[in-house]
Amino acid sequence: MLNIVLFGPPGAGKGTQSQKLIDKYNLIHLSTGDLLRSEIAAGTELGLKAKSLMDNGLLVPDEVVIGMIASKIQENKHANGFIFDGFPRTVPQAQGLDKLLFENNTEISCMIALKVDDEELTKRLLLRGQTSGRPDDQNEELIRKRVQEYNTKTTPVADYYAGQGKFYAVDGIGEIDEIFAQLCKHIDSLLEKQKK
Ligand code: AMP
């Protein structure tokens, strides 16, 4: 299996690049943000609880997102692999994911980080807010809060994968196709190594 963690702050372009990677490598896209928004739209109890945290730019509890990911992995046992987008966002989530994949006889192949500075992120998210309909994209203070959550709680996840020798970084500013080519370069060299 090819299991990729696509890493980066909100607005780094993870969603856009995930879509292209799914098409090229035939992977299943697992975005915890999308899964949570579906729960909210369906009016479930989980969605209701998550909404107030999301509306305040805060992370939802680890066990909630790990539980959602666990059931998606179970539903897609025979997939070619997964792209994890917006997950894991904390070290306990990364540990939970390792455990889930181990139980399914697989593991994370690599984490690739999209690097974008905070000012560019705020600009992109405010712009996205004009069309995304997402309340958390429409308020500059909330955007800064999300970026701050990322900087404090999520950046250590990169060290976690670096410790396993699985971390790569790509410049997330530039043409979409150029960034995609950089991502593919890392993935293809990994696939080459797997073949050997
Ligand atoms: P995203 O679509 O990835 O930007 O996520 C939107 C919001 O959903 C975040 O600001 C968090 O409140 C929540 N969220 C998404 N993924 C996670 C996660 N892995 N852990 C905790 N909260 C999450």
Side-chain angles (χ1 to χ4, degrees):
M1 268 185 152
L2 175 64
N3 298 313
I4 302 169
V5 176
L6 196 56
F7 192 70
K14 300 189 294 295
T16 307
Q17 296 295 338
S18 289
Q19 200 50 56
K20 293 173 79 69
L21 291 169
I22 292 157
D23 293 344
K24 175 159 178 172
Y25 297 100
N26 189 21
L27 304 171
I28 303 272
H29 183 211
L30 292 183
S31 152
T32 40
D34 286 351
L35 292 172
L36 288 165
R37 282 183 288 277
S38 306
E39 295 281 340
I40 293 174
T44 65
E45 198 182 319
L46 190 160
L48 226 65
K49 281 195 192 140
K51 187 175 182 331
S52 58
L53 291 165
M54 291 168 75
D55 284 352
N56 286 296
L58 299 170
L59 295 185
V60 306
D62 290 337
E63 56 279 12
V64 172
V65 282
I66 293 172
M68 290 192 317
I69 291 287
S71 55
K72 288 289 167 194
I73 291 177
Q74 281 308 314
E75 278 170 28
N76 295 285
K77 270 178 168 297
H78 303 293
N80 227 9
F82 297 98
I83 292 200
F84 298 97
D85 165 2
F87 176 88
R89 259 178 158 100
T90 64
V91 171
Q93 289 181 22
Q95 289 164 335
L97 179 60
D98 272 355
K99 186 163 167 275
L100 285 174
L101 293 176
F102 180 76
E103 286 162 4
N104 285 282
N105 300 313
T106 183
E107 62 176 354
I108 288 299
S109 312
C110 63
M111 161 184 267
I112 312 183
L114 292 171
K115 297 271 179 201
V116 179
D117 62 76
D118 292 2
E119 285 316 306
E120 171 73 13
L121 293 173
T122 310
K123 254 196 320 201
R124 284 189 190 180
L125 288 170
L126 283 170
L127 198 68
R128 185 170 85 182
Q130 292 173 10
T131 52
S132 71
R134 283 179 54 173
D136 58 350
D137 283 346
Q138 289 170 20
N139 171 322
E140 186 160 345
E141 198 187 324
L142 202 55
I143 289 174
R144 293 201 185 273
K145 176 87 203 149
R146 285 161 65 204
V147 173
Q148 189 193 331
E149 279 279 275
Y150 174 84
N151 287 336
T152 53
K153 297 193 181 143
T154 306
T155 350
V157 179
D159 295 334
Y160 178 84
Y161 288 104
Q164 297 183 1
K166 293 179 175 174
F167 178 80
Y168 305 89
V170 159
D171 186 355
I173 298 184
E175 290 296 319
I176 290 175
D177 285 337
E178 274 169 28
I179 299 168
F180 182 61
Q182 291 299 313
L183 293 173
C184 294
K185 205 174 79 184
H186 288 302
I187 296 168
D188 290 340
S189 75
L190 215 69
L191 289 172
E192 272 306 309
K193 273 190 220 149
Q194 274 181 6
K195 269 194 224 153
K196 283 178 193 159

